[in-house]
Every structure is written in structure tokens, then in C-alpha cells.
Amino acid sequence: MEETNLVKGTRKINGSIAYVEQEPFIFSGTVKKNILFGLPYDKERFERAVRAAELVRDISIFGKGVETTIGERGINVSGGQKSRISLARAVYSDADIILLDDPLSAVDPEVANKLFRNCIRTVLKDKIVILVTH
Amino acid sequence: MAVKAELEIIDQPCLSGIDFKMAKGDFLAVVG
């Protein structure tokens, strides 16, 4: 958002930004650390983010729950799981502006519907949300 | 008092000149 030089026009950004990439960045570490992304842990906020991103079932299947290591030195997670971890990261960040680059493309239609209704249009209803899709 | 979050994009070539101003609670879907 502020990484390109303006050639014309204006751009005013008042607030913090969270960005969910089309190809989510997952580092080698626990599910928990990937969602917190450097922020301090708050149980209630964390559980809300996990629920919003439809990750409860996935985490229950992982051997060590949220302490399961994923990424290069851990277990492989699917594209849909990566996308939802990235979405949970954005929800947890509590940023004012949420940029979503096609986060629903990697998940099946049923999950996409849940994410759109329960997360994007409900949990994030008080945010400024831009959803890019095709 | 909390600062009001806003996003305003005006006259950007990459957005085909579409201007938008968003405030808390606004939702924009860009379908390509």
C-alpha cells in the first residue's frame, strides 16, 4: 500500500494494515507463532481468530495442536490451511485495514462461504476490508 | 479519543481512475 511511489493522485492511509497474500507466507515454527506473527499471546483473541478462520478442526487434527511445527522443518500444511492461517493472522492483528488477496481461492466452496459470512462479514465487520477476488 | 481509521485512494492510474474513500465498517470487493 505504501510501497510504491505516487506518480499522480493522492493516497491517504489512516490506520494499521494487515495483508493476506494470495500465496501466504508461512515460516518454520508452530501454528501459534505463525498466527501471532510476533504479537504477544492473548488467549481469547487467539481463539477468536482461530474460530473465525475455520481452523479449529485442522488444529485438533495436528499432533500437538497449536504447538505443532509447520513450514520447512515441520509438517506440510495444505494451500487452504496456509490461507486460513494467514487469515487468522490478520484477524489476530486487529489492524484497522484488512487487505485480502483472494484468500478464498484455496479453500472449497463450503469453507469459502463460511469464511466470507462468519469471518469477513462478521468478525471483520468493523474494519475497512478490501477483498480482491476473480 | 480513538483515531478514526480511513483509507482514501484518489486518481491512481492502476485503478483506472476509480476513486474511493473508506471508513471503519466499509467493505469493498474487487472482482477481476
Side-chain angles (χ1 to χ4, degrees), chain A residues 7-53:
Chain A
V7 236
K8 61 185 283 200
T10 60
R11 176 180 58 203
K12 193 169 102 183
I13 301 164
N14 191 6
S16 52
I17 297 177
Y19 171 49
V20 177
E21 318 94 315
Q22 194 174 26
E23 297 288 335
F25 170 67
I26 300 293
F27 61 86
S28 189
T30 64
V31 175
K32 188 176 175 181
K33 282 182 179 171
N34 266 280
I35 293 173
L36 296 179
F37 214 53
L39 293 174
Y41 177 67
D42 178 285
K43 188 171 185 284
E44 196 175 317
R45 188 168 148 193
F46 185 84
E47 287 174 355
R48 178 172 172 265
V50 165
R51 277 197 307 272

Side-chain angles (χ1 to χ4, degrees), chain A residues 19-31 34-35 37 49 53-55 58-59 62 69-91 100-108 111 115:
Chain A
Y19 171 49
V20 177
E21 318 94 315
Q22 194 174 26
E23 297 288 335
F25 170 67
I26 300 293
F27 61 86
S28 189
T30 64
V31 175
N34 266 280
I35 293 173
F37 214 53
E54 298 292 332
L55 277 169
D58 303 75
I59 288 171
F62 294 155
T69 300
I70 56 175
E72 276 180 28
R73 290 190 216 104
I75 64 163
N76 281 326
V77 286
S78 70
Q81 287 168 331
K82 284 181 186 173
S83 183
R84 285 178 288 125
I85 287 169
S86 184
L87 190 58
R89 185 185 288 162
V91 172
L100 305 172
D101 189 357
D102 218 358
L104 308 179
S105 64
V107 300
D108 65 64
V111 175
L115 289 175

